[in-house]
């Protein structure tokens, strides 16, 4: 009977121990599962946070790119407006007027429909030379607006020739003994390339200006 009781007690103790071990193991597994779940949730939230930060960064970069594109657009538009209004158009207009008038001046033209000598001298002094001087003043004060163009080097060379031509022209008309001469007689002819260069650049800038006025934001960033 004693042996049977002892065995029963041992069996009960074993079951209690096994139950305790199972409970402990279950508790440990439950805690590990909770830790794993928390870590998984934390990693998920971290990934979400990173994704959100990356998205915000992309949005900020996009906004910045738009701002840069708009700033570049405004800067180019403003510069072209200045090139046209302060340099190319004033010179082009005066060259056009000069083309009309010099052919009527007796000392400058061999055409038949020239003006009488007295009228020619007055127009040459009050219009032609004045027109030339205005162009020279525009060139000297606004030459920087001719930069950054495809033909800027060639154009600037022609503008310098024009300044020399006008200087000689004014000089010989101010000295009585030289008034029978023209600049071409002193190897300073009118630079023939200046008019087409100014005209072509003026038209090119006008086209670019009209294009920019119609362009949309999305096209600015291309």
């Amino acid at each position: 009977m004693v042996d049977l009781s002892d065995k029963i007690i041992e069996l009960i103790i074993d079951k209690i121990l096994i139950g305790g071990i199972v409970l402990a193991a279950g508790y440990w597994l439950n805690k590990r599962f909770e830790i794993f779940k928390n870590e998984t949730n934390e990693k998920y939230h971290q990934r979400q946070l990173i994704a959100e930060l990356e998205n915000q960064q992309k949005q900020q970069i996009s906004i910045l790119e738009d701002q840069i594109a708009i700033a570049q657009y405004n800067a180019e538009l403003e510069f072209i407006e200045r090139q046209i209004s302060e340099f190319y158009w004033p010179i082009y207009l005066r060259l056009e007027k000069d083309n009309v008038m010099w052919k009527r001046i007796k000392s400058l033209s061999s055409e038949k429909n020239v003006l009488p000598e007295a009228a020619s001298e007055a127009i040459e002094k009050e219009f032609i030379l004045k027109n030339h001087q205005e162009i020279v003043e525009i060139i000297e004060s606004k030459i920087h607006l001719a930069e950054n163009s495809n033909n800027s080097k060639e154009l600037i060379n022609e503008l310098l020739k024009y300044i020399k031509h006008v200087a000689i022209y004014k000089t010989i008309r101010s000295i009585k003994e030289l008034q029978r001469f023209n600049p071409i007689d002193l190897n300073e002819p009118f630079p023939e390339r200046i008019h087409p260069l100014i005209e072509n650049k003026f038209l090119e800038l006008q086209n670019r200006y009209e294009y920019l006025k119609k362009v949309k934001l999305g096209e600015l960033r291309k």
Side-chain angles (χ1 to χ4, degrees), residues 11-55:
L11 183 60
I12 292 171
I13 291 172
D14 288 342
K15 287 183 177 181
I16 292 172
L17 288 174
I18 292 170
I21 292 170
V22 170
L23 286 173
Y27 176 78
W28 181 83
L29 287 172
N30 186 59
K31 293 298 292 184
R32 292 303 303 168
F33 178 74
E34 288 294 328
I35 293 171
F36 173 76
K37 186 170 68 173
N38 290 336
E39 288 177 348
T40 302
N41 287 337
E42 186 177 351
K43 289 180 180 179
Y44 173 75
H45 290 308
Q46 285 178 346
R47 286 195 295 270
Q48 276 193 321
L49 180 60
I50 291 171
E52 185 177 349
L53 289 173
E54 288 177 346
N55 186 50

Side-chain angles (χ1 to χ4, degrees), residues 168-180:
I168 295 295
Y169 190 7
K170 289 174 63 180
T171 299
I172 61 180
R173 286 298 180 265
S174 65
I175 299 174
K176 187 175 181 180
E177 291 79 5
L178 297 177
Q179 288 183 359
R180 61 189 179 88

Side-chain angles (χ1 to χ4, degrees), residues 4-170:
L4 180 60
S5 297
D6 290 340
K7 288 181 179 180
I8 292 171
I9 292 169
E10 287 178 5
L11 183 60
I12 292 171
I13 291 172
D14 288 342
K15 287 183 177 181
I16 292 172
L17 288 174
I18 292 170
I21 292 170
V22 170
L23 286 173
Y27 176 78
W28 181 83
L29 287 172
N30 186 59
K31 293 298 292 184
R32 292 303 303 168
F33 178 74
E34 288 294 328
I35 293 171
F36 173 76
K37 186 170 68 173
N38 290 336
E39 288 177 348
T40 302
N41 287 337
E42 186 177 351
K43 289 180 180 179
Y44 173 75
H45 290 308
Q46 285 178 346
R47 286 195 295 270
Q48 276 193 321
L49 180 60
I50 291 171
E52 185 177 349
L53 289 173
E54 288 177 346
N55 186 50
Q56 289 178 355
Q57 186 180 40
K58 288 178 181 179
Q59 289 179 345
Q60 290 174 349
I61 291 172
S62 179
I63 291 171
L64 183 59
E65 287 176 344
D66 286 344
Q67 291 174 342
I68 292 172
I70 292 171
Q72 291 174 335
Y73 166 83
N74 289 332
E76 183 180 3
L77 195 64
E78 181 181 351
F79 186 64
I80 291 176
E81 285 177 343
R82 291 193 61 202
Q83 284 182 298
I84 293 173
S85 64
E86 299 178 26
F87 190 77
Y88 287 99
W89 169 246
I91 293 177
Y92 176 68
L93 178 63
R94 285 165 175 79
L95 288 174
E96 284 290 297
K97 291 194 295 184
D98 192 60
N99 275 346
V100 173
M101 296 305 298
W102 74 265
K103 295 177 182 179
R104 307 297 304 278
I105 306 302
K106 187 174 182 179
S107 62
L108 300 177
S109 176
S110 60
E111 295 190 9
K112 296 180 180 180
N113 60 340
V114 295
L115 295 169
E117 187 170 348
S120 294
E121 290 178 359
I123 291 176
E124 187 177 21
K125 180 180 178 182
E126 298 299 327
F127 180 83
I128 299 292
L129 288 173
K130 183 180 178 182
N131 197 53
H132 283 338
Q133 183 57 35
E134 288 174 355
I135 293 176
V136 169
E137 290 172 0
I138 293 169
I139 295 170
E140 290 178 341
S141 62
K142 305 289 185 178
I143 189 65
H144 58 283
L145 295 176
E147 296 176 355
N148 300 326
S149 61
N150 296 331
N151 61 352
S152 59
K153 186 176 181 180
E154 182 183 8
L155 176 59
I156 288 173
N157 286 337
E158 290 299 298
L159 294 174
L160 293 175
K161 290 178 185 178
Y162 180 83
I163 291 173
K164 288 175 63 179
H165 168 82
V166 174
I168 295 295
Y169 190 7
K170 289 174 63 180

